[in-house]
Amino acid sequence: MRIDLHTHSRASDGTQAPGDLVRAAAAAGLDVLAITDHDTADGWAEAEQAALEVGIELVRGMEVSTRHQGRGVHLLAYLPDPTHPPLVEQLTRVLSGRQARVPDMLTRLRALGIEVTDADVARASAGTAATGRPHVADALVAVGAVRDRTEAFDRYLGAGGPAYVDRYAAPLAETIRLVTEAGGVTVVAHPWGRSQREWPGEPELAELQAVGLSGIEVDHEDHTPGSRDKLRAIARNLDLVVTGSSDHHGTGKIDHELGCNTTDPEQYARLVEAAARAAEAARAAGLAPPGVVRG
Ligand SMILES: [Zn+2]
Ligand SMILES: [Zn+2]
């Protein structure tokens, strides 16, 4: 069984339509795929239809932009009822915060002598519910200011960069609670990705586990072999689920091909079990968590 639990479609900043992403996953020989667009469930319906067509198991999820102790943390949320009002409220705040910073980024770029217009960004973000930084990056590529998204982030748009603008992120512990309430399960995405800092460490993860966190993503391209070993040891100590994923963005991110990292079937089964327990409680409270699509 090949299981990839973290991918993006055009519903956020991937380059494939949700249905095409699912078809590509089946063609790549994956048995289970999770669609986890940033802060939105917009791709779910189309992905579900494609999963039923091609016969792949689909986990509907999202990657929520959160903040914890002043730092950004990406939280993978699998199988929550996306209509749970307090969850909707958080996601709406994150999405509008992301959109609201686009004009500010364009102003800063203009001050640096780089002319990118609203229309350039709109062209780069066609079809998405979550216009944001990656689309500004794509617009920078389109106008020839940089070679690719990576250069756009490194030179201009990354945290601390000359065109960087801060934005709202959902409180992490509260988001874990809301997703659990909505019948879903949570996994911290690439906990030590793109940073040499080994944070969150075991004490922080233990606290998050106490409010409902199920697992951590260990096998991810942004983690060094050394980080993976240490994170695996933490997961063992705390009995957290360990996942591995591609964080595929279509052609939007190099070296993140579908299935380049995968999740062990036993770990996946633990996650699905935890989701089933949360879903039962959520259904008793009148919610409708979506469950796994067995295509
Ligand atoms: Zn992420
Ligand atoms: Zn991601």
Side-chain angles (χ1 to χ4, degrees):
M1 271 245 280
R2 296 185 68 224
I3 303 163
D4 188 340
L5 293 181
H6 180 173
T7 67
H8 298 266
S9 78
R10 224 156 45 203
S12 62
D13 57 344
T15 56
Q16 292 150 300
D20 291 338
L21 170 67
V22 170
R23 281 183 280 275
L30 291 171
D31 302 287
V32 181
L33 175 80
I35 179 170
T36 54
D37 279 304
H38 292 287
D39 312 302
T40 181
D42 267 24
W44 286 13
E46 188 185 321
E48 177 185 13
Q49 204 176 7
L52 293 170
E53 273 165 35
V54 298
I56 193 172
E57 189 161 319
L58 177 73
V59 178
R60 285 165 285 183
M62 56 183 80
E63 183 176 19
V64 186
S65 303
T66 75
R67 188 151 297 164
H68 190 57
Q69 299 175 357
R71 295 185 187 135
V73 175
H74 282 178
L75 182 72
L76 292 161
Y78 299 110
L79 303 166
D81 178 343
T83 68
H84 184 40
L87 180 61
V88 172
E89 192 193 314
Q90 282 299 330
L91 296 175
T92 306
R93 283 186 73 180
V94 173
L95 286 173
S96 53
R98 171 174 294 151
Q99 252 145 20
R101 76 170 163 173
V102 169
D104 293 343
M105 285 190 282
L106 298 187
T107 305
R108 288 182 189 213
L109 285 169
R110 207 161 295 133
L112 296 165
I114 299 165
E115 196 60 41
V116 174
T117 64
D118 287 337
D120 294 327
V121 177
R123 255 193 304 280
S125 65
T128 182
T131 302
R133 218 164 26 147
H135 307 105
V136 177
D138 290 346
L140 280 168
V141 176
V143 302
V146 293
R147 259 189 337 268
D148 52 30
R149 263 189 201 177
T150 308
E151 189 185 345
F153 276 80
D154 289 349
R155 283 180 61 186
Y156 301 110
L157 304 175
Y164 176 75
V165 178
D166 202 11
R167 69 175 161 97
Y168 178 78
L172 175 57
E174 189 186 333
T175 308
I176 291 172
R177 269 193 296 268
L178 290 178
V179 171
T180 311
E181 227 170 69
V185 286
T186 50
V187 169
V188 173
H190 45 73
W192 296 355
R194 283 187 233 156
S195 146
Q196 303 312 310
R197 220 189 264 125
E198 294 181 352
W199 183 94
E202 189 163 328
E204 291 81 16
L205 290 167
E207 277 171 28
L208 295 170
Q209 185 179 28
V211 298
L213 180 72
S214 288
I216 54 175
E217 187 179 57
V218 172
D219 290 302
H220 184 283
E221 283 308 291
D222 291 351
H223 287 154
T224 62
S227 292
R228 295 184 194 204
D229 288 347
K230 287 183 190 170
L231 285 166
R232 227 182 289 282
I234 292 173
R236 208 165 28 237
N237 290 344
L238 298 178
D239 199 28
L240 284 167
V241 171
V242 166
T243 68
S245 319
S246 65
D247 203 356
H248 184 64
H249 282 68
T251 55
K253 219 176 195 180
I254 49 163
D255 296 332
H256 287 72
E257 289 317 306
L258 284 166
C260 66
N261 294 293
T262 55
T263 299
D264 182 79
E266 223 170 276
Q267 300 292 313
Y268 173 61
R270 285 181 61 196
L271 208 56
V272 171
E273 244 167 66
R277 279 193 301 274
E280 205 180 296
R283 272 193 293 270
L287 293 168
V292 172
V293 178
R294 300 218 154 83

